[in-house]
Amino acid sequence: MELFTGLEAGRPGHAEGRLAKEMRVYDLLDTLGIPYSRVDHEAAKTMEDCLVVDETLGVAMCKNLYLCNRQKTDFYLLLMPGDKPFKTKELSGQLGVSRLSFAEAEFMEAFLDITPGAVSVMGLMNDSENRVRLLIDADLLKMEDIGCHPCVNTASIRLTMADLTGKFLPAVHHEYTTVSLTGEG
């Protein structure tokens, strides 16, 4: 994958060619005084592409899974280390939910204003009705920095976990539930 830019501090110099939802992420982070690094890139299509982004950002992008219950009434955004296997049964047991599955793109777009491939914790800024419950794996919470998309998959940002949990989430009126996933079960 060819990167358009190297690592840059903060927002892009211009909004030309960028979606409004991406620019809203930068606006919010700037308003909250959250420093971040950014890299622009083509949409990652392979794990090798993701590794190039990780190397440029200096942090592994976390895995973002958008899930729902069988009735499609409860929705969850799970953040976990990218290299950790995900077992639905293990998470379902911790949440006391009989069956979790991946939620359809229509719910992702309706609640988070995100499309598949760009799922990110930043989408919670668009969830004003708190329809999505944030779950963060305990191992991810131990990391100093986190990498994620700014609601589009053609850019990636890096910010501190402390800023994510201490500034961003309170500002978008979301709390998180810590889960401990082993990748087994």
Side-chain angles (χ1 to χ4, degrees), residues 86-163:
F86 172 65
K87 303 289 183 183
T88 308
K89 181 179 178 183
E90 181 181 26
L91 182 60
S92 293
Q94 287 187 38
L95 297 176
V97 176
S98 62
R99 182 174 158 245
L100 288 174
S101 61
F102 291 98
E104 287 88 359
E106 65 192 68
F107 296 112
M108 193 182 303
E109 292 178 43
F111 302 146
L112 301 177
D113 193 20
I114 294 179
T115 56
V119 179
S120 167
V121 66
M122 295 293 123
L124 293 176
M125 67 184 282
N126 301 313
D127 181 26
S128 59
E129 296 179 14
N130 287 71
R131 293 292 313 268
V132 180
R133 180 175 169 193
L134 178 61
L135 312 171
I136 304 179
D137 182 77
D139 288 338
L140 196 66
L141 287 167
K142 295 175 189 172
M143 297 177 68
E144 187 174 325
D145 293 327
I146 184 171
C148 62
H149 291 305
C151 295
V152 295
N153 65 357
T154 53
S156 297
I157 58 174
R158 174 177 136 187
L159 62 153
T160 68
M161 182 62 75
D163 281 342

Side-chain angles (χ1 to χ4, degrees), residues 24-144:
R24 286 194 311 267
V25 170
Y26 305 137
D27 291 343
L28 179 58
L29 293 175
D30 291 347
T31 298
L32 296 173
I34 297 176
Y36 56 97
S37 300
R38 175 187 49 81
V39 63
D40 295 327
H41 52 79
E42 295 177 14
K45 294 185 177 20
T46 67
M47 286 309 296
E48 291 77 24
D49 291 347
C50 294
L51 290 174
V52 172
V53 173
D54 290 353
E55 288 174 19
T56 304
L57 274 179
V59 66
M61 295 286 283
C62 66
K63 191 180 292 182
N64 298 266
L65 303 176
Y66 191 57
L67 307 163
C68 66
N69 64 353
R70 178 179 298 167
Q71 298 81 11
K72 297 180 179 144
T73 55
D74 297 325
F75 296 87
Y76 307 89
L77 177 60
L78 171 64
L79 307 183
M80 61 186 291
D83 59 352
K84 186 182 278 192
F86 172 65
K87 303 289 183 183
T88 308
K89 181 179 178 183
E90 181 181 26
L91 182 60
S92 293
Q94 287 187 38
L95 297 176
V97 176
S98 62
R99 182 174 158 245
L100 288 174
S101 61
F102 291 98
E104 287 88 359
E106 65 192 68
F107 296 112
M108 193 182 303
E109 292 178 43
F111 302 146
L112 301 177
D113 193 20
I114 294 179
T115 56
V119 179
S120 167
V121 66
M122 295 293 123
L124 293 176
M125 67 184 282
N126 301 313
D127 181 26
S128 59
E129 296 179 14
N130 287 71
R131 293 292 313 268
V132 180
R133 180 175 169 193
L134 178 61
L135 312 171
I136 304 179
D137 182 77
D139 288 338
L140 196 66
L141 287 167
K142 295 175 189 172
M143 297 177 68
E144 187 174 325

